[in-house]
Each structure stands twice: as structure tokens, then as C-alpha cells.
Amino acid sequence: MCFGLPMTIIETDGMCALCEYGSERRRVSVMLLSEPPVGAKVLVHVDTAVRLLDDETARLIAEALDGLDAALSGHDCDRFFADLIGQEPQLPEHLR
């Protein structure tokens, strides 16, 4: 399984960018995007920025990753997934 990280560009030369997520910094390719500016939030897979993110989407992805980390560490993760508590998964209509 591969996860994308919502990272923030802190410097770029148009081809590569130094991005950060929490305390992690890494240099990633931004060649799939149209010259994202410093401060832009991007979704990074395997050291490649694959799409621009708005602030809300970046926040939701970061919270989901924090929730996954909490669950894998044996900690309470309900607060990260409050919108899912008490809801049963629903099959698509064609599978019912």
C-alpha cells in the first residue's frame, strides 16, 4: 500500500521542490505540476508531487494519517474519524 503525504513547498526551482510535512523535509519532483509556488500544498507519492491540494484537503489527509498512526500504535483514534463514528459502510447500489 502506498500513501501520499500532504506536503508544503518551502522552496522550488520549477523542477524540484523542498517540501515539508511535520518535521520531515524532502526534495521532490514537481515536474507533473505546472510550476507550483512556494507555500503550495501538494500530494507527494514516491518523492513526486502529483497534484495541488487546497488547505482543507491537505488538513483532512494529514488527520487521516495521524489517525492511522494512532490506531497502529494502539491509541484511541476515534477523534480523527469523528465523521465515520456510528456509520455503517454502505455498498454501492449495484452491489446490494
Side-chain angles (χ1 to χ4, degrees):
M1 183 178 290
C2 181
F3 292 102
L5 295 177
M7 302 188 86
T8 302
I9 295 175
I10 56 175
E11 65 181 50
T12 183
D13 65 11
M15 294 182 69
C16 289
L18 181 61
C19 296
E20 74 181 350
Y21 174 70
S23 63
E24 179 179 352
R25 285 188 174 191
R26 63 172 68 166
R27 189 154 299 278
V28 304
S29 169
V30 291
M31 293 177 60
L32 294 178
L33 305 177
S34 182
E35 298 187 35
V38 169
K41 306 249 189 302
V42 292
L43 186 63
V44 176
H45 285 277
V46 193
D47 291 336
T48 301
V50 295
R51 76 174 228 204
L52 288 171
L53 299 173
D54 59 58
D55 289 340
E56 178 67 6
T57 303
R59 183 188 65 77
L60 290 171
I61 293 169
E63 285 183 4
L65 292 171
D66 289 344
L68 180 59
D69 183 52
L72 291 171
S73 300
H75 298 102
D76 178 43
C77 62
D78 288 353
R79 68 183 176 94
F80 296 103
F81 303 106
D83 59 328
L84 301 176
I85 303 300
Q87 293 187 28
E88 291 295 319
Q90 299 295 313
L91 289 173
E93 187 63 38
H94 69 281
L95 295 176
R96 291 183 194 165

